[in-house]
Amino acid sequence: MYKLLLGLVMAALTAPVAWAQNSYTIRSGDVLQMEVVEDPSMNRSLLVLPDGSVSVPTVGTVRAAGQSVDSVRSAIQGALSPNFAAAPTVYLAVGQVAPARATGGATIPVYVMGEVANPGKIRVAKGTSLLQFLAESGGLTRFAATKRIQVQRTDRKTGEVKVYGFDYKAVQNGGSAKNIILSSGDVIVVPERRLFE
């Protein structure tokens, strides 16, 4: 009787959280937390990239943006299944929600040019990282040189231009790249991919 009562109480407490997770639509810039019970070495944070995918070890990319948490969890579980004797137990939750595009408040202007979906001047919230910006602004074109993205920043006092490189391809492959926080007036340049790049 005690176990049944405890089970009912736990179900009542977790039901709203589960409902909220399953009714949420994942979008670019969100960070998902994945746990694989049978192989804890696979537990990690998964960033939803600007193209809407997440990179899962041993699987590759899985479409996430526009999906519910449960449907992405099922897709990851299905993709991982051939690597296990029995279907693995995968838990997936939204760990961090992408910041909403700034519509008011403290914003800064940044400029983007080259192989991006929406070039031009865009206002973003202060504290926005380059990766978040790429997710918010519609992402890159298929011709983008993803290993050679640049942020050009002009020092207001000296006029000196500093160039910061960003390897988005490393992020796509499940690695990491230096987190560049955008400043007012930054120019983001996404060059065109070379022939054999």
Side-chain angles (χ1 to χ4, degrees):
M1 179 70 178
Y2 173 75
K3 286 183 180 178
L4 176 63
L5 184 59
L6 182 61
L8 290 173
V9 168
M10 291 303 291
L13 291 175
T14 59
V17 174
W19 179 83
Q21 290 277 333
N22 285 328
S23 65
Y24 178 75
T25 301
I26 297 169
R27 60 192 178 113
S28 294
D30 287 349
V31 178
L32 308 177
Q33 299 296 326
M34 179 182 77
E35 291 184 22
V36 181
V37 173
E38 291 78 7
D39 186 358
S41 70
M42 297 191 73
N43 297 353
R44 65 194 63 233
S45 298
L46 303 172
L47 175 67
V48 183
L49 298 171
D51 66 1
S53 68
V54 291
S55 183
V56 180
T58 73
V59 170
T61 58
V62 174
R63 181 80 184 146
Q67 313 275 337
S68 70
V69 174
D70 194 49
S71 65
V72 175
R73 183 200 59 76
S74 295
I76 291 172
Q77 184 177 29
L80 285 173
S81 289
N83 300 326
F84 292 87
T89 307
V90 177
Y91 292 106
L92 192 69
V94 178
Q96 183 179 338
V97 175
R101 182 180 284 275
T103 56
T107 63
I108 57 170
V110 294
Y111 304 85
V112 61
M113 58 190 295
E115 296 299 321
V116 290
N118 298 304
K121 177 181 174 181
I122 300 177
R123 295 198 70 82
V124 297
K126 284 185 178 179
T128 299
S129 73
L130 175 59
L131 196 57
Q132 290 170 329
F133 172 80
L134 292 173
E136 286 181 17
S137 64
L140 310 172
T141 72
R142 61 189 180 124
F143 302 109
T146 57
K147 294 170 86 173
R148 297 187 289 119
I149 296 173
Q150 297 177 355
V151 174
Q152 297 187 5
R153 183 170 296 159
T154 304
D155 186 299
R156 292 184 185 181
K157 294 178 183 175
T158 65
E160 179 186 350
V161 176
K162 288 188 178 179
V163 178
Y164 302 91
F166 183 76
D167 186 354
Y168 175 69
K169 182 118 178 132
V171 176
Q172 277 184 306
N173 292 332
S176 62
K178 183 180 177 184
N179 191 20
I180 301 171
I181 302 301
L182 297 176
S183 292
S184 180
D186 280 355
V187 178
I188 299 153
V189 181
V190 182
E192 186 176 359
R193 191 174 61 226
R194 295 184 188 120
L195 186 59
F196 294 106
E197 188 172 17

